């Protein structure tokens, strides 16, 4: 298990905790739609990279994680535009998602 792969798992875990704290503050009418989708998408991403970290054939898991990150980008942007996230939180979340994307992209390139 290389150091770089472990780092993405830790970063995804930490970002999951941050997101869970913020989605709990979404308006009640959107908590069971948008918030739940964000939470599930981020938790699934974290699980995928953690499992991929333990496998030798990880390409399909990493591609699923990449698709999840695309969904997460969309959902976080929607949350900002709907006013569920303030600008500071949106900027932080966008930066974290971008960093996870760079890390995942590097891992994918290395694994192909």
């Amino acid at each position: 298990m290389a150091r770089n792969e472990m780092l993405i798992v830790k970063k995804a875990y930490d970002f999951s905790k941050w997101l869970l704290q913020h989605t709990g503050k979404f308006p009640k009418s959107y908590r069971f739609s948008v918030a739940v989708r964000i939470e599930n998408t981020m938790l699934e991403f974290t699980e995928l990279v953690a499992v991929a970290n333990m496998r030798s054939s990880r390409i399909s898991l990493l591609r699923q994680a990449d698709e999840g990150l695309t969904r997460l980008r969309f959902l976080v942007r929607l949350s900002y535009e709907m006013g569920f996230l303030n600008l500071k939180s949106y900027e932080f979340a966008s930066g974290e998602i971008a960093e996870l994307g760079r890390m995942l992209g590097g891992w994918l390139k290395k694994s192909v």
Side-chain angles (χ1 to χ4, degrees):
M1 177 164 48
R3 175 84 176 117
N4 207 19
E5 287 83 26
M6 283 178 47
L7 187 59
I8 192 172
V9 173
K10 181 185 179 341
K11 189 159 199 60
Y13 179 83
D14 291 343
F15 184 52
S16 294
K17 289 192 310 186
W18 183 89
L19 261 180
L20 289 170
Q21 291 172 346
H22 284 74
T23 54
K25 299 173 187 171
F26 279 26
K28 189 174 183 177
S29 56
Y30 293 97
R31 205 169 297 143
F32 298 104
S33 56
V34 178
V36 167
R37 291 193 77 160
I38 289 173
E39 292 166 359
N40 289 339
T41 302
M42 188 60 214
L43 292 172
E44 181 183 3
F45 175 85
T46 305
E47 290 172 0
L48 286 167
V49 294
V51 171
N53 196 37
M54 300 179 341
R55 293 207 181 147
S56 57
S57 61
R58 54 181 64 116
I59 297 297
S60 96
L61 291 172
L62 295 178
R63 287 190 177 134
Q64 288 177 52
D66 192 35
E67 291 170 6
L69 216 49
T70 298
R71 285 191 301 275
L72 189 63
R73 280 186 191 97
F74 163 76
L75 291 166
V76 167
R77 189 177 90 212
L78 177 67
S79 298
Y80 169 68
E81 290 177 359
M82 295 289 293
F84 310 151
L85 291 173
N86 63 35
L87 180 60
K88 184 177 175 182
S89 295
Y90 175 66
E91 288 174 342
F92 176 78
S94 295
E96 291 294 298
I97 293 169
E99 178 65 19
L100 287 168
R102 283 190 293 275
M103 294 170 86
L104 182 62
W107 195 7
L108 261 166
K109 284 181 185 176
K110 190 176 95 175
S111 297
V112 173

